[in-house]
Amino acid sequence: MHKRFSLKKRIVVAGAGVGLLAGAGAAYAYFTSTGTGSGDVTVGTATDWAVTVAAPTGGPLMPGSGSETVGYTVTNNGTSAQMLAAVKTTLDTDTNGNVMNANGHAVNGCLASWFTVTDAHPTPNQSVAADGGTYQSSATVTLNEQSPAVDQNACQGASPTLTVSAS
């Protein structure tokens, strides 16, 4: 018995065959091209360190004896971690090398060179976390006796001012 396909069925079969051939051709036929685009990124900036200094402990300072230790806290108020590379504690002085008193006046004859300021950790090289992360350390101050004997009476009752600088 001979089956006959209707015209409609022949068109569907022929269309499917053409579709397969076209699909096979699409797999091999394409164009190549190149393209570029650009955009901008934002690099942040460092935030200044906030430094707080605690009241001194120990003392009193006398020529050749006694020392005071001053604690300090360095705070990162920025929005990303920052590297704390160095801390330096110094006595404030006038142009003649006299220490500056807590009231902002020079103590004439009381020389900063008579004092030693030693930072516990002058080069922390430490990453400090963002949003209030802190680093804590201290510095010790001594009043050295001068040799040969030098009258250091000008320093009596003085309150030399320390500055703690973080970078």
Side-chain angles (χ1 to χ4, degrees):
M1 192 169 192
H2 189 255
K3 288 188 176 183
R4 296 181 79 190
F5 287 102
S6 70
L7 180 60
K8 186 176 181 182
K9 286 184 183 178
R10 283 187 212 159
I11 292 173
V12 169
V13 170
V18 169
L20 284 173
L21 290 174
Y28 297 106
Y30 57 89
F31 293 116
T32 61
S33 183
T34 62
T36 61
S38 65
D40 296 324
V41 297
T42 302
V43 177
T45 58
T47 302
D48 289 341
W49 297 105
V51 180
T52 55
V53 180
T57 59
L61 300 180
M62 303 292 280
S65 69
S67 63
E68 289 190 341
T69 299
V70 178
Y72 57 83
T73 302
V74 179
T75 304
N76 177 6
N77 292 321
T79 57
S80 62
Q82 293 188 149
M83 178 61 72
L84 179 59
V87 177
K88 184 174 183 180
T89 306
T90 56
L91 288 170
D92 292 356
T93 62
D94 69 2
T95 56
N96 296 318
N98 296 306
V99 297
M100 300 297 287
N101 222 349
N103 63 9
H105 295 97
V107 181
N108 290 325
C110 182
L111 301 178
S113 62
W114 294 344
F115 294 83
T116 300
V117 180
T118 306
D119 283 296
H121 303 285
T123 54
N125 286 326
Q126 180 173 320
S127 179
V128 179
D131 300 320
T134 61
Y135 172 81
Q136 295 180 326
S137 192
S138 62
T140 302
V141 181
T142 57
L143 174 57
N144 303 307
E145 185 173 15
Q146 299 302 299
S147 180
V150 172
D151 179 357
Q152 294 176 294
N153 286 337
C155 293
Q156 289 187 62
S159 297
T161 301
L162 288 168
T163 296
V164 179
S165 303
S167 59

